[in-house]
Amino acid sequence: WKPPSVVPAVLTIVDIAGLIKGASEGAGLGNAFLSHIAAVDGIFHLVRAFDSDDIIHVDDSVDPIRDLETIQSELCLKDKETLAKVVEKEKDRIRKEKQISRSSDPPLGETFQSAYDKCCKLIESNTPVQTYEDFSQGEVEIIRDFGLITTKPQIYVVNMSKKNFLRKGNKWLAKISEWVNSHGGGQIIPMSCEWEQEYMDLREDKEAQKAFVEQCEEEVKAMGLTGPGFAVKSVVPRLIRAGRTALCLQSFYTAGPKEVRAWTIMKGTMAPQAAGVIHTDFERGF
């Protein structure tokens, strides 16, 4: 059955230029970068793990661990700056709620204080807040209002050379895994933009695209590498699935004679609210 129109689910990815050391204080794109990243729901953290004389690195050398440290520390520094303001903001809220003078120093709520202390401890250790799993539900609700960048889910994407991608190995992968695990953990997805570009350039010619994959498979066999772990295929579908999973998204479908459409909802959404995604009248009359 082939309807005239098929509307798939969409995951919008925005390419935000990388930041440099000192960005939290305005260096490079500075606050522009940080405002851009504050506007997204999650982060694909792309790190370079290939050498090339044609592509110059801003620090004149390839070191993904250094790059990870730079970006993570800048994001944490920005969150540290944000945390420095939330206490006074909360005290202002309490003063207004209890109608007491601005010169008074009201005590903070126990849940607020514990949420704040845990976030400070994580940020001081250069660890994203979203990696911590022992927040209470009350603390989570409070932290949502803090506006911290590191509460966003992160997926680490390692950009390797085409050769390393085919042989599923790179000198940096183990070190990157060790670094990620020591900073709260997270998903790591190795890929090769070089390979993906060659593959996508052939998308209009399916036979040529198939021949390209087969050629790559022969190269892998020539290296003595066999088995399902060395299958040659695009990583883009995996990136999309990982992004949707990290954002807790799922889809449901409507099907009719003219169109099949995927509708995106958060996991755990109740049926009436899911119907409301199609039209608010559906939710009201569910």
Side-chain angles (χ1 to χ4, degrees):
W1 183 48
K2 297 181 180 179
S5 175
V6 176
V7 183
V10 174
L11 181 71
T12 302
I13 299 176
V14 181
D15 182 14
I16 302 175
L19 82 173
I20 61 174
K21 194 170 184 178
S24 60
E25 298 172 351
L29 291 176
N31 291 326
F33 170 91
L34 294 163
S35 64
H36 291 160
I37 207 164
V40 302
D41 298 313
I43 303 167
F44 280 121
H45 189 158
L46 182 67
V47 290
R48 175 177 173 176
F50 67 91
D51 294 304
S52 174
D53 293 333
D54 297 326
I55 305 174
I56 305 301
H57 192 288
V58 66
D59 291 320
D60 293 324
S61 63
V62 176
D63 185 345
I65 304 303
R66 176 199 58 210
D67 297 344
L68 286 164
E69 283 286 356
T70 296
I71 294 185
Q72 197 78 284
S73 62
E74 292 300 323
L75 296 182
C76 286
L77 282 170
K78 191 64 179 179
D79 277 357
K80 187 176 181 180
E81 181 184 309
T82 301
L83 280 171
K85 301 173 184 176
V86 298
V87 169
E88 193 54 40
K89 184 179 176 182
E90 176 65 6
K91 288 184 177 181
D92 281 342
R93 186 193 67 78
I94 295 171
R95 292 186 191 107
K96 187 176 180 180
E97 186 179 274
K98 295 186 175 181
Q99 297 183 328
I100 55 180
S101 68
R102 291 185 60 82
S103 60
S104 62
D105 187 21
L108 297 169
E110 184 179 334
T111 305
F112 180 95
Q113 188 67 60
S114 64
Y116 174 79
D117 290 343
K118 288 176 182 178
C119 287
C120 285
K121 186 175 180 180
L122 289 163
I123 294 301
E124 287 293 342
S125 64
N126 217 23
T127 302
V129 172
Q130 62 92 15
T131 62
Y132 190 70
E133 297 179 350
D134 291 330
F135 289 117
S136 69
Q137 188 58 42
E139 289 170 341
V140 169
E141 294 299 324
I142 287 170
I143 292 168
R144 280 177 180 160
D145 293 332
F146 285 177
L148 303 177
I149 292 174
T150 63
T151 56
K152 302 176 187 294
Q154 287 191 52
I155 296 171
Y156 300 92
V157 183
V158 184
N159 186 14
M160 308 186 295
S161 67
K162 176 182 173 182
K163 181 179 179 181
N164 283 346
F165 171 68
L166 292 177
R167 69 186 186 89
K168 303 293 188 285
N170 179 281
K171 65 181 180 181
W172 290 106
L173 284 177
K175 295 176 183 177
I176 291 171
S177 178
E178 183 180 338
W179 185 92
V180 170
N181 289 334
S182 67
H183 288 76
Q187 186 175 8
I188 302 170
I189 301 179
M191 69 171 297
S192 170
C193 291
E194 178 188 4
W195 188 92
E196 296 288 349
Q197 184 66 62
E198 290 186 40
Y199 180 75
M200 287 301 295
D201 285 345
L202 299 170
R203 64 186 178 277
E204 301 298 333
D205 186 343
K206 294 301 180 185
E207 286 301 316
Q209 197 175 55
K210 181 181 177 183
F212 170 69
V213 172
E214 289 173 350
Q215 179 189 338
C216 291
E217 288 173 340
E218 290 301 319
E219 291 179 29
V220 171
K221 288 178 183 176
M223 296 179 203
L225 305 173
T226 58
F230 295 99
V232 180
K233 58 184 178 181
S234 173
V235 177
V236 172
R238 183 184 173 193
L239 287 171
I240 295 170
R241 289 193 300 271
R244 285 170 59 85
T245 299
L247 296 175
C248 298
L249 300 178
Q250 63 182 16
S251 295
F252 70 94
Y253 304 90
T254 53
K258 295 182 179 180
E259 180 182 86
V260 172
R261 178 185 290 262
W263 301 87
T264 301
I265 56 174
M266 295 287 290
K267 288 180 180 177
T269 300
M270 303 297 284
Q273 286 68 49
V277 173
I278 301 175
H279 199 288
T280 51
D281 286 351
F282 289 174
E283 182 176 355
R284 285 197 294 266
F286 196 87

